[in-house]
Amino acid sequence: MKNKFITCLLIIFFFLLNESRAFSEEFIFNASEINIVENGNIIKATNGIATSVKDNITLNAKKFIYNKKLLVLNAENGIAKAVNENIEIKANKFIYDQKTSIINATGNVEIRDLIKKTLIKSQNIFYHINEKIIKSPTDSSIEDDIKNFFLVESFTYTLNDGLIKVNKAKIIDFEKNILQVDKAYINLASKKLIGKDLSIDFNNKSLQNDNEPRLKGNTISSDGNETIITKGVFTTCKKNDNCPPWQLSAKKIKHDKEKKIIYYENAWLKLYDKPVFYFPKFFHPDPSVKRQSGFLMPTFKDSSTLGASFHIPYYSVISDNKDFTFTPRFYKGEKMLLQSEYRSVNAKTNSVIDFSFFNEKNNPIKSHFFSNTSKKLDFTNFDESELTLKLEQTSNDTYLKTYKLKSPIINNTNTLSSSLGIRAYREDLSFSANFQVYESLNESSNDRYEFIYPNYSLLKNLENPTKLNGNFLFSSSGFFKHYDTNVLEKVIINDFIFNSDSNYTKTGFKNNYNVLIKNINTNSENSKKYKKNSNYKIASLIEYNSSYPLKKNGINYNDILKPMISLRFSPNDNKDMKNEDKRINIDNIFSLNRLGLNDAVEGGASLTYGVEFLKTDKYSGKDFFGAKIANIFRVEENKNLPNNSKLGEKTSDIVGGINFNPNNVFKIKYDFSVDDNLKDNNYELLTTEFKVNNFVTSFEYLNENNTAGKESYFTNKTSYSINDSKSLIFESRENKKTNLTEFYNLIYQYRNDCLIAALEYNKNYYTDQDLKPEENIFFNLTIVPFGKTSSPNLK
């Protein structure tokens, strides 16, 4: 019998008799085409649905072949639905055995649990209908409703309790952490996992380097809230064939997923598998955390002058944009230092506050308070505008140095600076104004303060109203300064500047000129720098620059030789500046304002001349050798110009610089300033670096004879890398003026991706009130990402 392209309903009753037992099955076919062949033993159907009344299974497929004798239904490209279990199975092929009530699905199998919203993919599964179990002996994947992803070698899924037993599973959770477990049970209803022989590779997106945070253990119990691991080991070190440089091993480890904290019970910190520190209880944020409240790495320190101390910082996250760090230091005896740092960042405001208190029995309290705040403003006529407030205060002149207080906003331990300022900027105009107070911690109490209220500057690019090629600038600056108890200075400076464009002549000369007109307004009392009462002055300066660059292309090197001259003239006399510490060097000698003067111009007529030579590697572009030398010739002496560099004499110091970089092994730089007689050195700075394989040493020598401080020192830093992880570092500085060594530092360091261990020897010789010479030997240990700790002084 054959029916084509019609829908037929066929109910087949059959009986199989075996001795005293009878067995009956029935299918309902609803298909576009049905064929019954081989004397009714084979039924073929296409594009339809086969329904098992006995098992309450429907199978929608492209093709069916049902063997009545074997009670086996084969289907292709279909979807089977277990109506009572809310299960859908999609596959390329089905073998439905009615005797055993087992469905075998193969080829791109997808199982959907409609209630638990779980998707299982495999190539071969067996659905035991009566037992309500789905099994797979092949590699499969499972994805739940919260985007946890499981890759397993085999699984058994019991539908009654929603439990999946998996073997050799790799689990990727919704935070991209990877868990691998030998055997595990997964409850799809409660999202709980129980397994053994596991490892977890955490997502390290919050870490600053290439660490590989991971955790291993014997057993695991995990749900949506927490994971508990027995006999666990945690480390952040990169994987290799050896034991990790550090690890935390514990009897029990709990990962609180909501708080993002890992807790340890009976934990040992091990370095290269050797236990070094025991923690009855310990916790830290998990590797996904960028910031979280909790104790930071404690530190032990020791000093020959201050004694031993214990630091235990606590970090508190107040909100998404605010945090607070409290760092108490406990010293031997009845001494304690409490330091705190508060940070706040908003869309338009950034603020940092750092303060501390030091308390010692029978001594006054010492303290400091530093604050930096900035706020973006919305001035309509400017691209950027900002308000800043800076406060710095300490109760003791050497407090910051003695106790070595560290903070991002503590930048100077000799001078305190407090200010209120505003600035605004756009492409053609910039403006700033500040009210400032300086306190020199090295001066006596009467003369240590300097007040500036206000200090302003303005720079404006002007339109060019002429046919001259160049640009016009207007700048204005001023201040009202009060210092040394009774010195008052009021200054307003207005500058009108024209800078011409450079032009090249047919013979190859490069020329340009600059014009400066300066208006100086001053009013002072008891000042050594400005005349008493109100004074007004107009000064001008014109400068003409010319150079003749020459280039020679060689086989391996290109040579550039550039002779230069600069003619400048000012008809004005200078105020007395001979004692001011202004020095010319090869970098500023050709600048329009080479002395950095804001309230004066360089008077008289002068000729600056010099030459620059540069040899460059033709292929790498690296500078092989460079040299500059220059001198100033003055028509008439100007005794009011600064004495150092002899700028006011007819012939100034000869200044120059040499750079020599012949290879990657050696380089040297030398800057100098010598008398025109070429006998006396007024300034010299020599820096060198010598590098051979793992050995690097650098030297710096400074000798000043033409400045107020006349500083002279010699420093050396030498390092030797024993291998990729071990190094030796030596540093020293000798004061050539006093012929005394200021300090020695010797450091042996071991470093890898997750651990830095160092043995340091420090010796400081200087003395300053509470700051005494000291000698220390201590051990530093930095564990990434937890932080750094130090041992007490071992000397």
Side-chain angles (χ1 to χ4, degrees):
M1 178 184 296
K2 183 175 182 182
N3 300 298
K4 293 185 178 181
F5 303 105
I6 61 171
T7 299
C8 298
L9 181 62
L10 176 64
I11 302 176
I12 304 173
F13 293 98
F14 56 89
F15 298 87
L16 295 176
L17 299 177
N18 184 10
E19 295 180 337
S20 63
R21 186 176 61 182
F23 188 84
S24 72
E25 300 286 340
E26 67 179 38
F27 265 108
I28 299 176
F29 283 89
N30 190 348
S32 61
E33 182 176 330
I34 296 177
N35 292 311
I36 300 176
V37 297
E38 297 185 13
N39 299 319
N41 292 321
I42 301 297
I43 299 175
K44 296 181 178 181
T46 58
N47 297 323
I49 298 174
T51 303
S52 170
V53 178
K54 169 181 173 289
D55 295 327
N56 200 12
I57 298 291
T58 63
L59 182 56
N60 189 331
K62 295 289 186 181
K63 182 179 179 181
F64 298 94
I65 299 177
Y66 177 60
N67 191 313
K68 185 169 63 172
K69 289 184 178 181
L70 298 178
L71 299 180
V72 173
L73 175 65
N74 289 273
E76 295 181 5
N77 300 320
I79 298 176
K81 295 182 180 180
V83 179
N84 293 339
E85 307 302 329
N86 290 289
I87 293 292
E88 289 185 357
I89 304 173
K90 180 181 178 181
N92 293 344
K93 292 184 179 181
F94 292 89
I95 301 175
Y96 188 167
D97 191 332
Q98 287 253 308
K99 289 182 182 178
T100 59
S101 292
I102 296 175
I103 297 177
N104 177 209
T106 58
N108 298 319
V109 181
E110 292 185 2
I111 305 171
R112 295 183 184 273
D113 190 320
L114 303 180
I115 297 297
K116 300 180 180 65
K117 298 180 181 179
T118 301
L119 172 63
I120 302 174
K121 294 182 179 181
S122 183
Q123 291 299 319
N124 187 10
I125 67 99
F126 294 88
Y127 176 24
H128 297 256
I129 300 171
N130 293 334
E131 291 84 1
K132 298 182 180 180
I133 293 175
I134 300 175
K135 295 182 179 181
S136 174
T138 60
D139 292 344
S140 306
S141 69
I142 305 168
E143 184 177 354
D144 64 17
D145 60 337
I146 58 173
K147 302 304 179 182
N148 292 318
F149 190 73
F150 307 79
L151 295 173
V152 302
E153 285 191 4
S154 62
F155 72 87
T156 301
Y157 180 19
T158 55
L159 301 178
N160 281 338
D161 53 15
L163 199 65
I164 299 181
K165 178 184 177 182
V166 298
N167 295 305
K168 304 293 183 183
K170 179 180 180 180
I171 305 168
I172 305 173
D173 68 16
F174 64 95
E175 291 185 332
K176 306 304 180 184
N177 301 312
I178 299 175
L179 184 151
Q180 300 192 62
V181 62
D182 188 55
K183 294 182 182 295
Y185 289 90
I186 306 164
N187 191 314
L188 295 178
S190 64
K191 309 302 179 187
K192 187 170 184 178
L193 179 146
I194 298 174
K196 68 174 186 176
D197 299 331
L198 70 129
S199 66
I200 302 175
D201 293 323
F202 289 99
N203 181 1
N204 68 341
K205 61 184 177 182
S206 66
L207 300 182
Q208 301 295 319
N209 48 33
D210 296 327
N211 291 129
E212 297 176 346
R214 60 195 183 276
L215 194 157
K216 291 186 177 182
N218 282 5
T219 65
I220 182 172
S221 175
S222 178
D223 57 26
N225 298 319
E226 65 180 21
T227 297
I228 297 175
I229 295 170
T230 61
K231 295 184 179 180
V233 177
F234 176 79
T235 185
T236 64
C237 301
K238 285 185 176 180
K239 296 178 181 178
N240 54 48
D241 295 333
N242 303 317
C243 62
W246 73 264
Q247 62 184 31
L248 277 169
S249 60
K251 182 178 179 180
K252 179 182 177 181
I253 300 176
K254 184 175 79 170
H255 179 205
D256 191 316
K257 297 179 181 180
E258 291 184 354
K259 296 181 179 179
K260 297 186 179 297
I261 296 178
I262 299 177
Y263 298 89
Y264 300 81
E265 291 184 11
N266 297 323
W268 278 97
L269 172 63
K270 293 183 179 182
L271 301 182
Y272 288 99
D273 217 25
K274 303 294 183 183
V276 295
F277 203 89
Y278 172 74
F279 302 92
K281 291 186 181 294
F282 181 75
F283 67 92
H284 63 79
D286 72 28
S288 69
V289 173
K290 292 184 178 180
R291 52 198 293 268
Q292 188 174 63
S293 299
F295 286 99
L296 305 179
M297 179 74 78
T299 302
F300 298 92
K301 288 190 177 180
D302 203 355
S303 166
S304 57
T305 57
L306 300 177
S309 62
F310 176 61
H311 306 204
I312 181 167
Y314 181 83
Y315 175 74
S316 175
V317 177
I318 301 173
S319 64
D320 290 342
N321 64 326
K322 297 176 183 177
D323 57 36
F324 182 81
T325 303
F326 175 61
T327 308
R329 300 188 198 177
F330 302 98
Y331 290 86
K332 283 185 177 180
E334 299 184 35
K335 295 189 296 183
M336 181 172 60
L337 189 152
L338 306 177
Q339 183 178 4
S340 300
E341 181 186 85
Y342 169 80
R343 301 186 304 176
S344 174
V345 178
N346 295 310
K348 295 185 178 181
T349 306
N350 192 331
S351 180
V352 180
I353 299 173
D354 189 276
F355 57 94
S356 71
F357 299 93
F358 177 77
N359 185 33
E360 183 178 10
K361 187 177 181 181
N362 300 324
N363 284 292
I365 292 177
K366 299 176 182 179
S367 64
H368 91 278
F369 180 89
F370 278 49
S371 172
N372 268 8
T373 300
S374 63
K375 179 178 177 59
K376 294 181 180 180
L377 305 175
D378 295 321
F379 290 170
T380 55
N381 294 322
F382 291 90
D383 298 330
E384 297 177 10
S385 53
E386 184 180 45
L387 179 70
T388 60
L389 175 63
K390 180 180 178 182
L391 300 174
E392 296 184 356
Q393 183 273 335
T394 181
S395 62
N396 182 275
D397 292 347
T398 59
Y399 174 62
L400 300 174
K401 292 181 184 177
T402 302
Y403 295 95
K404 298 178 181 178
L405 296 173
K406 303 295 183 183
S407 171
I409 59 175
I410 300 179
N411 300 314
N412 192 326
T413 57
N414 295 313
T415 302
L416 303 181
S417 171
S418 297
S419 63
L420 173 65
I422 187 171
R423 71 172 188 88
Y425 166 83
R426 70 173 187 236
E427 187 175 1
D428 65 333
L429 176 65
S430 62
F431 173 79
S432 66
N434 294 276
F435 295 85
Q436 296 171 296
V437 178
Y438 294 97
E439 179 183 0
S440 175
L441 301 180
N442 299 321
E443 299 291 337
S444 62
S445 57
N446 291 330
D447 297 332
R448 65 192 302 154
Y449 294 100
E450 179 178 313
F451 301 90
I452 304 177
Y453 39 86
N455 172 21
Y456 83 92
S457 66
L458 180 146
L459 180 63
K460 170 67 175 174
N461 292 322
L462 303 176
E463 293 185 4
N464 190 342
T466 70
K467 295 182 179 180
L468 299 174
N469 294 322
N471 62 292
F472 289 87
L473 297 174
F474 172 75
S475 70
S476 179
S477 61
F479 60 83
F480 178 17
K481 185 185 296 185
H482 183 189
Y483 63 98
D484 286 352
T485 307
N486 62 348
V487 178
L488 297 175
E489 296 174 349
K490 303 175 184 178
V491 177
I492 295 178
I493 311 293
N494 299 306
D495 290 341
F496 180 80
I497 306 167
F498 175 75
N499 299 315
S500 75
D501 296 336
S502 297
N503 67 84
Y504 289 85
T505 67
K506 293 181 180 180
T507 55
F509 284 93
K510 179 184 177 182
N511 306 316
N512 76 292
Y513 65 93
N514 304 304
V515 178
L516 167 66
I517 300 175
K518 184 181 288 287
N519 166 230
I520 307 161
N521 308 276
T522 64
N523 188 312
S524 70
E525 294 181 16
N526 305 311
S527 174
K528 296 178 181 179
K529 191 173 182 180
Y530 300 108
K531 293 180 181 180
K532 188 177 181 180
N533 299 324
S534 297
N535 289 275
Y536 310 96
K537 184 177 182 180
I538 299 292
S540 61
L541 175 67
I542 185 169
E543 176 190 55
Y544 181 82
N545 302 310
S546 182
S547 62
Y548 190 61
L550 303 170
K551 183 176 182 181
K552 178 183 178 181
N553 293 325
I555 298 175
N556 297 314
Y557 297 95
N558 292 331
D559 296 339
I560 297 175
L561 181 67
K562 185 167 71 171
M564 298 171 288
I565 62 168
S566 177
L567 296 166
R568 65 177 67 197
F569 172 73
S570 174
N572 309 103
D573 295 329
N574 294 111
K575 66 176 183 177
D576 187 359
M577 298 182 293
K578 58 178 175 289
N579 294 321
E580 291 194 21
D581 191 8
K582 302 289 185 180
R583 186 179 66 83
I584 59 171
N585 56 49
I586 194 60
D587 294 321
N588 65 18
I589 193 169
F590 285 97
S591 300
L592 179 64
N593 187 12
R594 56 189 166 198
L595 290 178
L597 301 172
N598 189 41
D599 54 5
V601 297
E602 183 183 317
S606 66
L607 168 67
T608 304
Y609 59 96
V611 64
E612 177 181 358
F613 174 75
L614 184 64
K615 180 181 281 290
T616 304
D617 188 289
K618 193 170 185 178
Y619 302 101
S620 67
K622 179 182 176 182
D623 293 341
F624 175 81
F625 178 80
K628 299 178 184 179
I629 190 168
N631 184 239
I632 301 172
F633 174 76
R634 191 168 294 280
V635 177
E636 295 181 357
E637 290 187 356
N638 187 341
K639 297 297 185 182
N640 288 328
L641 291 176
N643 288 330
N644 50 359
S645 304
K646 297 184 179 179
L647 181 62
E649 298 184 9
K650 281 202 169 184
T651 304
S652 71
D653 284 354
I654 298 173
V655 298
I658 298 173
N659 286 292
F660 183 45
N661 302 296
N663 47 47
N664 293 326
V665 174
F666 176 74
K667 64 181 179 181
I668 185 170
K669 181 180 181 182
Y670 180 59
D671 292 334
F672 61 89
S673 175
V674 299
D675 274 340
D676 55 353
N677 59 16
L678 300 180
K679 292 182 179 180
D680 299 322
N681 283 328
N682 292 322
Y683 174 88
E684 51 187 339
L685 175 63
L686 175 68
T687 58
T688 66
E689 183 179 279
F690 181 73
K691 183 189 299 183
V692 178
N693 297 326
N694 298 330
F695 177 80
V696 180
T697 185
S698 61
F699 299 92
E700 182 173 290
Y701 171 69
L702 173 68
N703 183 31
E704 293 180 332
N705 294 316
N706 60 352
T707 60
K710 293 185 177 181
E711 188 176 10
S712 183
Y713 64 79
F714 177 81
T715 64
N716 169 242
K717 181 177 181 180
T718 300
S719 64
Y720 175 66
S721 298
I722 302 170
N723 53 36
D724 290 340
S725 58
K726 300 174 184 176
S727 63
L728 192 66
I729 302 171
F730 172 76
E731 295 177 292
S732 69
R733 175 176 165 124
E734 181 181 354
N735 190 322
K736 306 301 290 186
K737 182 179 177 181
T738 60
N739 204 29
L740 294 174
T741 300
E742 294 181 357
F743 67 83
Y744 287 116
N745 290 331
L746 180 62
I747 305 171
Y748 172 75
Q749 186 178 88
Y750 173 83
R751 174 191 289 266
N752 56 43
D753 64 289
C754 62
L755 182 143
I756 303 172
L759 184 65
E760 298 189 22
Y761 169 75
N762 305 132
K763 189 170 184 178
N764 298 319
Y765 292 89
Y766 51 79
T767 302
D768 183 7
Q769 298 183 40
D770 293 342
L771 204 60
K772 305 298 181 183
E774 62 178 354
E775 187 175 13
N776 298 308
I777 300 176
F778 53 90
F779 176 76
N780 282 334
L781 178 65
T782 302
I783 295 178
V784 178
F786 299 133
K788 179 179 178 180
T789 187
S790 301
S791 72
N793 192 352
L794 303 177
K795 181 173 173 58

